[in-house]
Amino acid sequence: RLASERYRYSVEAGMPQGEVWRYMQARYPALFSLVVFFGILAGLLAHWLQKRSSAPTHELQRALGANEFIPYFQPVVRGDTRQWAGCEVLMRWRHPKEGLVRPDLFIPLAEDSGLIVPMTRALLRQTAAQLAPHAARFSPGFHIGVNITARHCQDMALVQDCQEFLAAFPPGQVTLVLELTERELIEPTETTRRLFEALHQLGVMIAIDDFGTGHSSLGYLRNFNVDYLKIDQSFVAMIGADALSRHILDSIIELSVKLDLGIVAEGVETAQQCEYLVAQGVDFLQGYLFGRPLPCDEFIKSLGIVE
Ligand code: C2E
Ligand code: CA
Ligand code: CA
């Protein structure tokens, strides 16, 4: 609508409401259908892409806020006496609909999205809150192993997380062990050097998890001042089955003795495996033979029975 400033008239042009589409449809039917078709297609595609990329991450974020990630505890026993020397903290997702979800189903996603760092932080806090009231019943220096991803080692925040964890216990009552998987090696930089130095000063120990499945060098083990090697369960499973794997297992044990590293064998399920490992001088054992991962109350109850 255009009104004249000098004369008392105005010009109006246009189409009645809804007429534009009908006009387009009548004059350019092919173009019109094409525009509508591609419009709808682009809309659907954008919606699908957005949903696909953000839905699982949103779900993890929601679960983190709702405290659905909880610690389970699996005992680690001394090879010589079979006494409980510590435990490994294993994350579980207590999903409101799906029930208890195993970590291999959601940890990779948490790692990709970076949510693994706040999730681990929350797990450390829950672990401290749940175990601290029972700390007096642990043998002194009780080892608490926590799985840490390489991403968490990129800055110094991990030092504070560990400090906070240790502050929940009487001094010297527990030893925190960070388990770093060998499949995901950390780049040695100035920051990581400072980080690992600060961690060792706190008394935090470092274990290389799933040892034998990755490719860490001797230099690597020395660089990060590693304290323990955790032999991957695939090697333990082959005890008594295959001479080559046993040879690898024996070499790992020999290596750890030479480097003066503690050694933990994972996935010990049979008495035969246990006897073999003890005869080879393995310091610590972990597996279903001694106990499955349990929620805190059951873990503490079993602790009483064993000792
Ligand atoms: P992992 O660190 O190698 O943990 C040991 C896995 O072996 C656990 O599986 C444990 O339940 C299982 N296991 C223990 N004893 C036996 C046995 O005698 N036989 C067999 N067949 N399996 C045994 P889980 O709890 O399902 O955890 C799987 C993996 O998920 C862990 O492997 C670890 O890599 C990862 N994970 C668990 N919790 C966390 C966490 O808090 N943070 C991170 N970053 N990763 C985690
Ligand atoms: Ca582990
Ligand atoms: Ca492992």
Side-chain angles (χ1 to χ4, degrees):
R1 183 165 198 260
L2 200 66
S4 161
E5 283 172 3
R6 235 187 263 178
Y7 306 104
R8 289 178 50 209
Y9 73 85
S10 61
V11 179
E12 271 179 53
M15 288 184 181
Q17 215 172 14
E19 274 308 295
V20 180
W21 293 109
R22 212 165 305 145
Y23 175 79
M24 287 269 293
Q25 228 172 331
R27 287 291 294 267
Y28 312 104
L31 179 72
F32 177 78
S33 335
L34 221 62
V35 165
V36 171
F37 174 73
F38 279 117
I40 293 173
L41 198 70
L44 286 177
L45 190 72
H47 181 69
W48 178 72
L49 280 176
Q50 191 202 14
K51 229 176 114 185
R52 201 181 66 146
S53 66
S54 70
T57 313
H58 265 138
E59 181 58 9
L60 283 183
Q61 186 94 53
R62 183 202 60 74
L64 176 62
N67 264 332
E68 286 173 14
F69 300 111
I70 52 163
Y72 264 49
F73 304 92
Q74 185 179 30
V76 176
V77 307
R78 212 172 274 285
D80 45 9
T81 61
R82 314 288 148 84
Q83 260 190 329
W84 287 24
C87 64
E88 175 172 2
V89 181
L90 294 158
M91 201 186 291
R92 295 289 181 270
W93 183 355
R94 198 167 42 195
H95 196 282
K97 287 200 200 105
E98 308 289 329
L100 209 61
V101 184
R102 282 189 4 235
D104 28 332
L105 296 177
F106 63 88
I107 294 277
L109 195 70
E111 286 176 346
D112 287 345
S113 64
L115 274 173
I116 189 67
V117 176
M119 279 162 68
T120 306
R121 193 166 289 141
L123 194 76
L124 277 166
R125 287 193 185 134
Q126 277 198 65
T127 300
Q130 292 185 8
L131 291 186
H134 309 284
R137 295 177 50 195
F138 298 154
S139 47
F142 193 79
H143 284 41
I144 301 175
V146 178
N147 295 288
I148 299 287
T149 36
R151 210 182 176 119
H152 209 152
C153 302
Q154 278 167 2
D155 56 45
M156 301 297 280
L158 182 59
V159 178
Q160 198 180 343
D161 295 336
C162 295
Q163 235 162 359
E164 201 184 300
F165 179 87
L166 291 170
F169 297 90
Q173 185 65 262
V174 299
T175 304
L176 179 59
V177 184
L178 303 184
E179 300 190 2
L180 306 168
T181 174
E182 201 196 25
R183 271 164 301 171
E184 196 197 51
L185 293 183
I186 295 163
E187 292 279 325
T189 63
E190 179 52 28
T191 313
T192 55
R193 198 192 56 73
R194 278 199 305 135
L195 172 73
F196 283 86
E197 208 175 274
L199 289 171
H200 272 108
Q201 253 157 29
L202 274 183
V204 173
M205 293 187 156
I206 306 295
I208 299 294
D209 204 355
D210 310 322
F211 192 76
T213 63
H215 30 254
S216 57
S217 62
L218 292 185
Y220 186 86
L221 299 178
R222 239 179 262 123
N223 237 331
F224 289 105
N225 239 321
V226 169
D227 302 284
Y228 291 100
L229 298 182
K230 292 193 81 171
I231 306 178
D232 190 63
Q233 51 195 51
S234 57
F235 298 113
V236 174
M238 282 166 183
I239 292 176
D242 163 355
L244 180 66
S245 306
R246 217 193 46 220
H247 187 67
I248 300 174
L249 180 70
D250 293 349
S251 309
I252 295 175
I253 297 170
E254 212 175 294
L255 174 77
S256 77
V257 172
K258 276 193 195 131
L259 294 176
D260 202 20
L261 298 175
I263 190 153
V264 187
E266 285 188 302
V268 182
E269 291 182 353
T270 67
Q272 188 202 2
Q273 292 166 348
C274 173
E275 275 158 30
Y276 183 85
L277 292 162
V278 171
Q280 299 295 309
V282 171
D283 312 289
F284 299 103
L285 308 168
Q286 178 183 353
Y288 295 163
L289 184 65
F290 313 103
R292 287 181 176 260
L294 295 170
C296 183
D297 48 347
E298 286 177 46
F299 175 75
I300 295 296
K301 251 187 249 158
S302 317
L303 181 74
I305 295 166
V306 171
E307 288 193 343

Short mmCIF file of all heavy atoms in Angstrom, two decimals, residues 153 155-164 166 176 178 189-206 223-225 227:
data_model
loop_
_atom_site.label_atom_id
_atom_site.label_comp_id
_atom_site.label_asym_id
_atom_site.label_seq_id
_atom_site.Cartn_x
_atom_site.Cartn_y
_atom_site.Cartn_z
N CYS A 153 43.54 -36.24 31.15
CA CYS A 153 44.93 -35.94 31.49
C CYS A 153 45.48 -34.76 30.71
O CYS A 153 46.68 -34.55 30.64
CB CYS A 153 45.81 -37.17 31.23
SG CYS A 153 45.26 -38.60 32.14
N ASP A 155 44.77 -31.53 31.19
CA ASP A 155 45.08 -30.35 32.01
C ASP A 155 45.23 -30.76 33.47
O ASP A 155 45.10 -31.93 33.81
CB ASP A 155 44.04 -29.24 31.83
CG ASP A 155 42.65 -29.71 32.12
OD1 ASP A 155 42.47 -30.40 33.14
OD2 ASP A 155 41.73 -29.44 31.34
N MET A 156 45.45 -29.77 34.33
CA MET A 156 45.78 -30.07 35.72
C MET A 156 44.54 -30.32 36.59
O MET A 156 44.67 -30.57 37.79
CB MET A 156 46.62 -28.93 36.32
CG MET A 156 47.92 -28.66 35.58
SD MET A 156 49.07 -30.05 35.63
CE MET A 156 49.78 -29.84 37.25
N ALA A 157 43.35 -30.25 36.00
CA ALA A 157 42.12 -30.41 36.80
C ALA A 157 42.09 -31.77 37.51
O ALA A 157 41.52 -31.90 38.60
CB ALA A 157 40.90 -30.25 35.91
N LEU A 158 42.72 -32.77 36.89
CA LEU A 158 42.72 -34.11 37.48
C LEU A 158 43.37 -34.12 38.86
O LEU A 158 42.97 -34.88 39.74
CB LEU A 158 43.44 -35.07 36.52
CG LEU A 158 43.51 -36.53 36.92
CD1 LEU A 158 42.12 -37.14 37.09
CD2 LEU A 158 44.27 -37.33 35.86
N VAL A 159 44.38 -33.26 39.04
CA VAL A 159 45.08 -33.20 40.34
C VAL A 159 44.09 -32.82 41.44
O VAL A 159 44.05 -33.44 42.51
CB VAL A 159 46.25 -32.18 40.30
CG1 VAL A 159 46.94 -32.09 41.65
CG2 VAL A 159 47.24 -32.57 39.22
N GLN A 160 43.28 -31.81 41.13
CA GLN A 160 42.31 -31.36 42.13
C GLN A 160 41.25 -32.44 42.40
O GLN A 160 40.85 -32.65 43.55
CB GLN A 160 41.65 -30.07 41.68
CG GLN A 160 41.00 -29.39 42.86
CD GLN A 160 40.31 -28.10 42.50
OE1 GLN A 160 40.55 -27.53 41.43
NE2 GLN A 160 39.46 -27.66 43.39
N ASP A 161 40.83 -33.13 41.34
CA ASP A 161 39.85 -34.21 41.53
C ASP A 161 40.41 -35.28 42.48
O ASP A 161 39.69 -35.79 43.34
CB ASP A 161 39.51 -34.86 40.18
CG ASP A 161 38.80 -33.88 39.24
OD1 ASP A 161 38.19 -32.93 39.74
OD2 ASP A 161 38.88 -34.09 38.01
N CYS A 162 41.69 -35.61 42.30
CA CYS A 162 42.31 -36.64 43.15
C CYS A 162 42.49 -36.13 44.58
O CYS A 162 42.28 -36.86 45.54
CB CYS A 162 43.67 -37.06 42.57
SG CYS A 162 43.51 -37.87 40.98
N GLN A 163 42.88 -34.85 44.68
CA GLN A 163 43.07 -34.24 46.00
C GLN A 163 41.77 -34.31 46.80
O GLN A 163 41.76 -34.71 47.96
CB GLN A 163 43.44 -32.77 45.81
CG GLN A 163 44.72 -32.37 46.48
CD GLN A 163 45.24 -31.06 45.89
OE1 GLN A 163 44.66 -30.49 44.97
NE2 GLN A 163 46.35 -30.61 46.42
N GLU A 164 40.69 -33.94 46.12
CA GLU A 164 39.37 -33.93 46.76
C GLU A 164 38.99 -35.34 47.20
O GLU A 164 38.47 -35.54 48.29
CB GLU A 164 38.36 -33.39 45.74
CG GLU A 164 37.09 -32.86 46.34
CD GLU A 164 36.12 -32.46 45.23
OE1 GLU A 164 36.46 -31.59 44.40
OE2 GLU A 164 35.02 -33.05 45.20
N LEU A 166 41.03 -37.90 47.93
CA LEU A 166 41.87 -38.37 49.04
C LEU A 166 41.51 -37.67 50.36
O LEU A 166 41.64 -38.26 51.43
CB LEU A 166 43.35 -38.17 48.71
CG LEU A 166 43.86 -39.09 47.59
CD1 LEU A 166 45.25 -38.69 47.13
CD2 LEU A 166 43.85 -40.55 48.05
N LEU A 176 45.06 -44.18 45.96
CA LEU A 176 44.30 -44.02 44.71
C LEU A 176 45.18 -44.45 43.54
O LEU A 176 46.33 -44.02 43.42
CB LEU A 176 43.87 -42.55 44.55
CG LEU A 176 43.09 -42.18 43.30
CD1 LEU A 176 41.80 -42.98 43.18
CD2 LEU A 176 42.77 -40.69 43.28
N LEU A 178 45.23 -44.65 39.40
CA LEU A 178 44.56 -44.27 38.15
C LEU A 178 44.91 -45.30 37.08
O LEU A 178 46.09 -45.56 36.83
CB LEU A 178 45.01 -42.87 37.71
CG LEU A 178 44.79 -41.75 38.72
CD1 LEU A 178 45.20 -40.40 38.10
CD2 LEU A 178 43.34 -41.67 39.19
N THR A 189 53.75 -34.46 26.95
CA THR A 189 53.97 -33.02 26.73
C THR A 189 54.43 -32.42 28.06
O THR A 189 54.49 -33.11 29.07
CB THR A 189 52.68 -32.31 26.30
OG1 THR A 189 51.74 -32.43 27.39
CG2 THR A 189 52.08 -32.87 25.04
N GLU A 190 54.70 -31.12 28.02
CA GLU A 190 55.12 -30.44 29.24
C GLU A 190 53.99 -30.50 30.29
O GLU A 190 54.24 -30.74 31.48
CB GLU A 190 55.48 -28.98 28.88
CG GLU A 190 55.93 -28.10 30.03
CD GLU A 190 57.07 -28.70 30.87
OE1 GLU A 190 57.87 -29.49 30.33
OE2 GLU A 190 57.12 -28.38 32.07
N THR A 191 52.74 -30.33 29.84
CA THR A 191 51.60 -30.37 30.77
C THR A 191 51.46 -31.75 31.40
O THR A 191 51.29 -31.86 32.62
CB THR A 191 50.29 -30.04 30.01
OG1 THR A 191 50.51 -28.89 29.23
CG2 THR A 191 49.14 -29.82 30.98
N THR A 192 51.55 -32.81 30.58
CA THR A 192 51.38 -34.15 31.15
C THR A 192 52.53 -34.47 32.11
O THR A 192 52.32 -35.12 33.12
CB THR A 192 51.28 -35.23 30.07
OG1 THR A 192 52.42 -35.15 29.23
CG2 THR A 192 50.03 -35.08 29.24
N ARG A 193 53.73 -33.98 31.78
CA ARG A 193 54.87 -34.22 32.68
C ARG A 193 54.59 -33.59 34.05
O ARG A 193 54.76 -34.22 35.09
CB ARG A 193 56.16 -33.63 32.08
CG ARG A 193 57.44 -34.17 32.70
CD ARG A 193 58.65 -33.37 32.27
NE ARG A 193 58.53 -31.94 32.57
CZ ARG A 193 58.61 -31.41 33.78
NH1 ARG A 193 58.83 -32.18 34.82
NH2 ARG A 193 58.47 -30.12 33.96
N ARG A 194 54.10 -32.33 34.03
CA ARG A 194 53.79 -31.65 35.29
C ARG A 194 52.64 -32.35 36.01
O ARG A 194 52.64 -32.51 37.23
CB ARG A 194 53.40 -30.19 35.02
CG ARG A 194 54.61 -29.28 34.86
CD ARG A 194 54.22 -27.84 35.04
NE ARG A 194 53.15 -27.47 34.12
CZ ARG A 194 52.07 -26.77 34.45
NH1 ARG A 194 51.92 -26.32 35.67
NH2 ARG A 194 51.14 -26.48 33.57
N LEU A 195 51.65 -32.79 35.22
CA LEU A 195 50.47 -33.46 35.80
C LEU A 195 50.88 -34.72 36.56
O LEU A 195 50.53 -34.91 37.72
CB LEU A 195 49.49 -33.80 34.68
CG LEU A 195 48.30 -34.66 35.08
CD1 LEU A 195 47.31 -33.84 35.90
CD2 LEU A 195 47.58 -35.22 33.86
N PHE A 196 51.69 -35.57 35.90
CA PHE A 196 52.04 -36.84 36.52
C PHE A 196 52.99 -36.64 37.70
O PHE A 196 52.95 -37.40 38.67
CB PHE A 196 52.59 -37.82 35.48
CG PHE A 196 51.48 -38.41 34.66
CD1 PHE A 196 51.00 -37.76 33.53
CD2 PHE A 196 50.87 -39.58 35.05
CE1 PHE A 196 49.94 -38.28 32.80
CE2 PHE A 196 49.81 -40.11 34.33
CZ PHE A 196 49.34 -39.46 33.20
N GLU A 197 53.79 -35.59 37.64
CA GLU A 197 54.65 -35.28 38.77
C GLU A 197 53.79 -34.88 39.97
O GLU A 197 54.00 -35.36 41.09
CB GLU A 197 55.58 -34.12 38.38
CG GLU A 197 56.90 -34.14 39.11
CD GLU A 197 57.79 -33.04 38.55
OE1 GLU A 197 58.47 -33.31 37.55
OE2 GLU A 197 57.75 -31.93 39.11
N ALA A 198 52.79 -34.02 39.71
CA ALA A 198 51.91 -33.55 40.80
C ALA A 198 51.11 -34.73 41.37
O ALA A 198 50.92 -34.83 42.59
CB ALA A 198 50.96 -32.48 40.27
N LEU A 199 50.68 -35.64 40.49
CA LEU A 199 49.91 -36.80 40.96
C LEU A 199 50.76 -37.69 41.86
O LEU A 199 50.31 -38.14 42.92
CB LEU A 199 49.38 -37.60 39.77
CG LEU A 199 48.25 -36.95 38.97
CD1 LEU A 199 47.96 -37.74 37.70
CD2 LEU A 199 46.99 -36.84 39.82
N HIS A 200 52.01 -37.91 41.44
CA HIS A 200 52.88 -38.74 42.26
C HIS A 200 53.18 -38.09 43.60
O HIS A 200 53.32 -38.76 44.61
CB HIS A 200 54.16 -39.09 41.50
CG HIS A 200 54.00 -40.32 40.67
ND1 HIS A 200 53.92 -40.31 39.29
CD2 HIS A 200 53.85 -41.61 41.03
CE1 HIS A 200 53.75 -41.55 38.86
NE2 HIS A 200 53.70 -42.35 39.89
N GLN A 201 53.29 -36.76 43.58
CA GLN A 201 53.52 -36.06 44.85
C GLN A 201 52.36 -36.24 45.81
O GLN A 201 52.55 -36.26 47.02
CB GLN A 201 53.77 -34.58 44.59
CG GLN A 201 55.25 -34.25 44.80
CD GLN A 201 55.67 -33.01 44.07
OE1 GLN A 201 54.84 -32.12 43.87
NE2 GLN A 201 56.91 -32.95 43.68
N LEU A 202 51.16 -36.38 45.24
CA LEU A 202 49.97 -36.63 46.07
C LEU A 202 49.93 -38.07 46.59
O LEU A 202 49.08 -38.41 47.40
CB LEU A 202 48.70 -36.40 45.24
CG LEU A 202 48.12 -35.02 45.12
CD1 LEU A 202 46.83 -35.09 44.31
CD2 LEU A 202 47.80 -34.46 46.51
N GLY A 203 50.80 -38.91 46.04
CA GLY A 203 50.79 -40.33 46.41
C GLY A 203 49.87 -41.15 45.52
O GLY A 203 49.61 -42.32 45.80
N VAL A 204 49.38 -40.53 44.44
CA VAL A 204 48.51 -41.25 43.51
C VAL A 204 49.38 -42.16 42.63
O VAL A 204 50.46 -41.76 42.22
CB VAL A 204 47.73 -40.25 42.63
CG1 VAL A 204 46.95 -40.94 41.53
CG2 VAL A 204 46.79 -39.42 43.49
N MET A 205 48.92 -43.39 42.39
CA MET A 205 49.70 -44.32 41.58
C MET A 205 49.09 -44.48 40.19
O MET A 205 47.91 -44.20 39.99
CB MET A 205 49.79 -45.66 42.27
CG MET A 205 50.61 -45.56 43.54
SD MET A 205 50.87 -47.17 44.23
CE MET A 205 52.35 -46.87 45.16
N ILE A 206 49.92 -44.94 39.26
CA ILE A 206 49.49 -45.08 37.87
C ILE A 206 49.59 -46.55 37.46
O ILE A 206 50.62 -47.19 37.67
CB ILE A 206 50.37 -44.24 36.92
CG1 ILE A 206 50.45 -42.78 37.37
CG2 ILE A 206 49.91 -44.36 35.46
CD1 ILE A 206 49.15 -42.02 37.30
N ASN A 223 58.57 -42.76 31.27
CA ASN A 223 58.14 -41.36 31.14
C ASN A 223 57.05 -41.00 32.14
O ASN A 223 57.06 -39.93 32.73
CB ASN A 223 57.56 -41.17 29.74
CG ASN A 223 58.27 -40.08 29.01
OD1 ASN A 223 58.77 -39.15 29.62
ND2 ASN A 223 58.33 -40.19 27.70
N PHE A 224 56.10 -41.91 32.27
CA PHE A 224 54.95 -41.60 33.12
C PHE A 224 55.09 -42.21 34.51
O PHE A 224 54.14 -42.22 35.27
CB PHE A 224 53.66 -42.06 32.45
CG PHE A 224 53.32 -41.20 31.27
CD1 PHE A 224 53.52 -41.66 29.98
CD2 PHE A 224 52.85 -39.91 31.44
CE1 PHE A 224 53.24 -40.86 28.90
CE2 PHE A 224 52.56 -39.10 30.37
CZ PHE A 224 52.76 -39.57 29.09
N ASN A 225 56.28 -42.73 34.81
CA ASN A 225 56.49 -43.24 36.16
C ASN A 225 55.42 -44.24 36.58
O ASN A 225 54.83 -44.13 37.64
CB ASN A 225 56.42 -42.06 37.13
CG ASN A 225 57.70 -41.94 37.90
OD1 ASN A 225 58.27 -42.97 38.28
ND2 ASN A 225 58.15 -40.73 38.12
N ASP A 227 53.41 -47.39 37.97
CA ASP A 227 53.62 -48.22 39.16
C ASP A 227 53.15 -49.66 38.96
O ASP A 227 53.72 -50.58 39.52
CB ASP A 227 52.85 -47.62 40.34
CG ASP A 227 53.28 -46.19 40.63
OD1 ASP A 227 54.37 -46.03 41.21
OD2 ASP A 227 52.56 -45.24 40.25
#
